[in-house]
């Protein structure tokens, strides 16, 4: 069984869905407080979750603008509302997709397990 999570930016131009195996719950999330992540988020830090390689978000499906914040790290923002949507990190032959948890639509499965 899986749980589907939808991430939606403020203007709703970016709205991918990702399926997570229920065995992944509760999920570990990253909270980065480095200068770069604080500046990107405009807040005290940035919360994210790595998406399984089979679920990687294809940037060409959405209207995002990307820039390389550091070598091999491309941050994507919604081209309309400016929300930070996801980051693609180059790791050898594979790209790792890291999605911003702040854009997740509420999901009862996740809410129950992570205490939100």
């Amino acid at each position: 069984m899986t749980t589907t999570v939808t991430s939606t930016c403020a203007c709703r131009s970016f709205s991918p869905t990702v399926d997570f195996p229920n065995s992944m719950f509760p999920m570990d999330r990253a909270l980065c407080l480095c200068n770069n992540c604080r500046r990107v988020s405009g807040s005290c830090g940035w919360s994210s979750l790595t998406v399984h390689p089979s679920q990687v978000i294809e940037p060409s499906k959405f209207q995002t603008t990307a820039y390389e914040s550091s070598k091999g790290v491309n941050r994507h923002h919604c081209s309309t509302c400016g929300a930070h949507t996801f980051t693609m990190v180059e790791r050898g032959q594979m790209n790792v997709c890291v999605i911003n948890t702040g854009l997740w639509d509420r999901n009862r499965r996740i809410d129950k397990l992570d205490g939100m």
Side-chain angles (χ1 to χ4, degrees), residues 4-111:
T4 300
V5 174
T6 302
S7 293
T8 307
C9 67
C11 72
R12 301 197 182 281
S13 294
F14 177 83
S15 190
T17 58
V18 179
D19 294 318
F20 293 99
N22 289 344
S23 61
M24 288 183 67
F25 297 104
M27 302 169 108
D28 290 329
R29 285 181 248 164
L31 177 60
C32 187
L33 304 175
C34 77
N35 287 338
N36 201 20
C37 287
R38 287 186 306 105
R39 290 182 179 121
V40 166
S41 69
S43 187
C44 63
W46 182 59
S47 174
S48 62
L49 178 76
T50 301
V51 177
H52 190 274
S54 67
Q55 299 275 326
V56 169
I57 295 169
E58 179 54 51
S60 64
K61 292 183 179 180
F62 302 97
Q63 294 181 3
T64 62
T65 302
Y67 72 96
E68 189 173 55
S69 62
S70 55
K71 185 168 175 50
V73 178
N74 292 292
R75 297 184 184 266
H76 291 257
H77 294 80
C78 174
S79 298
T80 303
C81 69
H84 182 239
T85 54
F86 66 100
T87 302
M88 295 297 287
V89 181
E90 295 175 16
R91 295 255 169 96
Q93 300 291 348
M94 181 175 59
N95 285 340
V96 175
C97 181
V98 181
I99 195 161
N100 181 352
T101 58
L103 300 182
W104 284 16
D105 294 341
R106 285 290 185 159
N107 179 297
R108 289 190 184 276
R109 173 83 174 135
I110 293 168
D111 291 350

